[in-house]
Amino acid sequence: MTGLYPELETYRHGMLDVGDGNEIYWEESGNPDGKPVVFLHGGPGGGASPRHRRLFDPDRYRIVIFDQRGCGRSIPHCGDPAADLASNTTWHLVADIERLREHLGVDRWMVFGGSWGSTLGLAYAETHPDRVTELVLRGIAVLRKKELDWLYGGGAGMLFPENWARFLEPVPVERRGEDLIEVFHELLYDEDPLVRTTAALAWSRWEGEVLKLLPSQEVVDAFSDPGFALAIARIENHYFRHGGWLEEGQLLRDAGKIEGIPCVLVQGRYDVVTPATTAWELKQLLPGAELIIVDDAGHAFDEPGTLHALVGATNRFAD
């Protein structure tokens, strides 16, 4: 099996109160007696999808998926301008994962995360290495300044100039030389709803346009949905302007804490969102990790070569 498994229904789901007025949606599918795995979605703020269940053999895995604070089916939803992001940080999410593990009665589990989910997966594993059996990470990011500058400072825009021009449209011409993450923060919280929505759509669409090796109108349309765009733009901007509440390079610096955990890193060669250099640097710090660079892939998890590597890793770890 190297593609997605067949469509799968949940056998249990619920809402978990994680404090600070937040409740997170969680679900379980697959085999209740199988190997536990927790799936960490991207963004931050992207939310989980039924397709994510299909990365795991349902006969062998107890598949746990949840929507992180503020997005998906969790409440309050950050598409609401009144939603407060003060208690939505990397370390709140790490604590949420532990609270969910305890709530579900899981002793140890495999952690699977892509894009922002790889960042969160590393943060969780370095904080709770005794709770992690294996790591499968895709599109590796650790939120260093150079990674954020690449995507929001014009580096990636040199490959996609027409898309970058659309991204810049809501930004006043005289401010386009400033820190664009900060400028977008102002726009996303402007008093004028039209300004907020226009900025959110520009932010979200930019990511959707550069996700795949070849453009996908379906992906762009999904990222252009106003409700989705408002949530992901606000949450991503909130995290990125704070550097994920991580010291510069912290997750690489502390990689030794997870050295004994079996780890597979899957990275698209032409990933514009999270360039391959970070996966390469992490591999140098984790000699026992397996790094799979997919030569015909961008950032998305469902590109054929990436999907083959991810499902291959989950199948091997199932045993």
Side-chain angles (χ1 to χ4, degrees), residues 41 44-48 67-78 231 235:
H41 66 69
D67 289 326
Q68 296 157 28
R69 293 188 182 206
C71 67
R73 291 146 290 187
S74 295
I75 54 177
H77 192 274
C78 287
I235 297 175

Side-chain angles (χ1 to χ4, degrees), residues 24-319:
I24 61 170
Y25 169 86
W26 60 269
E27 63 178 43
E28 290 186 278
S29 56
N31 182 352
D33 298 316
K35 179 186 181 75
V37 57
V38 61
F39 176 89
L40 306 179
H41 66 69
S49 157
R51 297 185 74 216
H52 296 142
R53 306 169 194 156
R54 301 170 59 193
L55 287 158
F56 311 96
D57 183 341
D59 293 329
R60 295 192 286 173
Y61 276 102
R62 177 185 175 186
I63 306 160
V64 179
I65 290 178
F66 73 99
D67 289 326
Q68 296 157 28
R69 293 188 182 206
C71 67
R73 291 146 290 187
S74 295
I75 54 177
H77 192 274
C78 287
D80 179 353
D84 184 7
L85 285 169
S87 60
N88 194 331
T89 74
T90 302
W91 304 113
H92 285 92
L93 299 188
V94 167
D96 291 350
I97 298 170
E98 264 300 90
R99 188 174 279 120
L100 180 60
R101 182 190 62 76
E102 293 171 354
H103 176 73
L104 298 178
V106 174
D107 181 42
R108 303 172 72 223
W109 50 9
M110 185 171 90
V111 173
F112 183 113
S115 191
W116 156 253
S118 74
T119 313
L120 182 57
L122 285 169
Y124 175 77
E126 291 178 5
T127 305
H128 300 285
D130 56 326
R131 297 302 180 185
V132 180
T133 55
E134 300 91 9
L135 279 165
V136 178
L137 305 176
R138 188 262 317 160
I140 317 301
V142 294
L143 295 197
R144 290 175 295 177
K145 186 177 185 300
K146 68 179 182 180
E147 297 171 44
L148 296 172
D149 285 347
W150 162 259
L151 189 57
Y152 297 105
M158 297 180 73
L159 298 175
F160 295 88
E162 70 278 31
N163 310 94
W164 182 248
R166 279 196 293 271
F167 173 72
L168 290 176
E169 282 177 1
V171 179
V173 173
E174 66 274 13
R175 302 199 64 186
R176 293 180 183 178
E178 299 179 25
D179 181 336
L180 292 175
I181 293 177
E182 287 295 332
V183 175
F184 265 89
H185 176 72
E186 295 178 27
L187 297 173
L188 290 167
Y189 288 89
D190 193 273
E191 293 181 358
D192 186 339
L194 179 60
V195 172
R196 296 196 301 262
T197 302
T198 301
L201 288 169
W203 179 285
S204 183
R205 183 184 174 96
W206 161 244
E207 185 172 343
E209 288 176 332
V210 301
L211 264 178
K212 286 187 170 258
L213 179 64
L214 298 176
S216 165
Q217 191 59 47
E218 182 182 0
V219 171
V220 174
D221 289 345
F223 276 72
S224 300
D225 174 80
F228 176 85
L230 279 165
I232 197 169
R234 283 197 175 118
I235 297 175
E236 284 188 343
N237 181 272
H238 172 65
Y239 273 72
F240 297 162
R241 67 190 294 262
H242 288 98
W245 296 269
L246 297 161
E247 296 176 18
E248 181 71 7
Q250 176 179 337
L251 296 179
L252 296 179
R253 181 198 71 200
D254 292 345
K257 294 179 179 179
I258 60 171
E259 191 169 356
I261 299 174
C263 179
V264 174
L265 310 172
V266 179
Q267 178 67 47
R269 171 73 71 189
Y270 298 106
D271 187 335
V272 173
V273 178
T274 59
T277 183
T278 302
W280 173 258
E281 291 175 58
L282 181 59
K283 162 62 179 172
Q284 309 316 304
L285 297 168
L286 297 173
E290 178 184 3
L291 172 60
I292 302 172
I293 294 185
V294 184
D295 283 327
D296 58 350
H299 184 68
F301 85 92
D302 57 357
E303 293 178 289
T306 300
L307 192 57
H308 175 85
L310 291 171
V311 175
T314 64
N315 285 343
R316 280 185 284 134
F317 283 149
D319 299 323

